[in-house]
């Protein structure tokens, strides 16, 4: 279920991204205003959520491929799921500062 939800969220992001990028041809000033909102701490949290969705979707996709194409995959799918979650948590911890560092400095100073 989480794989499908993250897929839909990623699709929604890509749709919005194409629309806001196309805005530069219609009105460069409006595009600049939209990009300025992307530099806010709230959007930084949403960006961290996007990183979370993409990482989980990619890692779980590899697990799904292993379940489908490895003869022992179905037998080990629960173990592989926990491995995906573990790797995901480690990578998300590593992404915390690069993605949210600027927002934290803006909110708390520094």
């Amino acid at each position: 279920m989480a794989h499908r939800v993250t897929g839909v969220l990623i699709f929604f992001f890509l749709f919005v991204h194409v629309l806001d990028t196309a805005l530069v041809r219609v009105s460069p000033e409006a595009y600049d205003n939209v990009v300025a909102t992307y530099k806010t701490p709230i959007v930084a949290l949403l960006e961290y959520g996007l990183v979370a969705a993409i990482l989980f979707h990619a890692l779980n996709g590899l697990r799904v491929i292993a379940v489908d194409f490895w003869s022992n995959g179905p037998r080990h799918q629960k173990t592989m799921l926990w491995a995906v979650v573990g790797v995901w948590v480690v990578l998300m911890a590593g992404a915390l500062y690069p993605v949210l560092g600027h927002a934290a400095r803006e909110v708390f100073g520094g």
Side-chain angles (χ1 to χ4, degrees):
M1 181 65 137
H3 191 74
R4 292 177 179 161
V5 170
T6 55
V8 169
L9 291 173
I10 294 165
F11 174 79
F12 176 71
F13 163 76
L14 289 174
F15 180 72
V16 170
H17 179 64
V18 167
L19 288 178
D20 73 2
T21 303
L23 187 60
V24 75
R25 295 189 56 103
V26 177
S27 171
E29 297 82 22
Y31 175 78
D32 290 339
N33 290 336
V34 169
V35 170
T37 64
Y38 290 165
K39 296 175 182 173
T40 63
I42 300 285
V43 175
L45 284 173
L46 293 173
E47 187 177 45
Y48 189 69
L50 176 65
V51 170
I54 290 170
L55 275 175
F56 180 82
H57 193 78
L59 293 169
N60 193 56
L62 293 174
R63 183 189 70 86
V64 169
I65 290 169
V67 168
D68 287 347
F69 292 107
W70 179 34
S71 60
N72 291 326
R75 189 173 338 144
H76 299 291
Q77 68 176 324
K78 186 180 273 189
T79 303
M80 288 188 292
L81 176 62
W82 284 112
V84 162
V85 170
V87 170
W88 179 79
V89 166
V90 168
L91 292 174
M92 288 307 298
L96 193 62
Y97 181 75
V99 177
L100 293 177
H102 174 72
R105 284 188 300 277
E106 188 173 317
V107 171
F108 301 112

